[in-house]
Amino acid sequence: MESSHTENEVGQEIADALGVLLRRTTRTRLHQKLTEGMGEAVDELTYPVLSALARIGPCSAAELAPEVGLDRSGVTRRASRLQDAGLVRREPDPADQRAQLLVLTEPGLRAVAELRGRLAAHIMASLSEWPPGEAEAFARGLHRFTLEGPFA
């Protein structure tokens, strides 16, 4: 019985940590830090659109909306800012000529690469005080958790 209590405590500790990570204010603060100096169009509002497009590839605003937690019109507004900055372009959807796909441009791909590099460096800086091997073990465990855990 004691072991299930301990397991529940571990589960609750993980759930609490996930709650902090998934909180909108936590993500917004991180996105603000990562996008500093990236230009007017790249900020905490447009970062999720850039990141999701890089992850899933060309798609419509309606398809992208659930990936970034916005409705279609919110994605469209942010994509328009990114398009005006030359980071995203719109192309006709070959499967539905009435629809438009959002596509990262070369400058958009470079911006995403810069943002991903900044994120990786920020993460590694935050883990720099961890004992040797702990960050690697955490990375392996987190990867496994995303593949096999409750969000899989």
Side-chain angles (χ1 to χ4, degrees), residues 1-14:
M1 185 88 130
E2 180 62 35
S3 105
S4 73
H5 179 70
T6 303
E7 287 173 10
N8 284 340
E9 287 175 355
V10 170
Q12 188 59 55
E13 191 174 341
I14 292 169

Side-chain angles (χ1 to χ4, degrees), residues 65-85:
E67 290 289 321
V68 296
L70 296 168
D71 61 19
R72 185 183 54 79
S73 64
V75 170
T76 299
R77 282 191 303 277
R78 287 160 176 81
S80 292
R81 286 183 54 207
L82 293 166
Q83 182 177 10
D84 291 346

Side-chain angles (χ1 to χ4, degrees), residues 3 16 26-27 35 49 68 73 76 89 110-111 114 140 150:
S3 105
D16 290 347
T26 301
R27 291 190 320 267
T35 59
V49 172
V68 296
S73 64
T76 299
R89 69 176 179 273
R110 287 193 300 273
E114 171 69 21
R140 284 191 307 275

Side-chain angles (χ1 to χ4, degrees), residues 82-111:
L82 293 166
Q83 182 177 10
D84 291 346
L87 302 174
V88 167
R89 69 176 179 273
R90 288 181 165 88
E91 294 180 357
D93 184 343
D96 179 0
Q97 291 302 313
R98 297 166 299 166
Q100 300 257 306
L101 296 179
L102 301 171
V103 181
L104 288 174
T105 62
E106 283 302 317
L109 290 168
R110 287 193 300 273

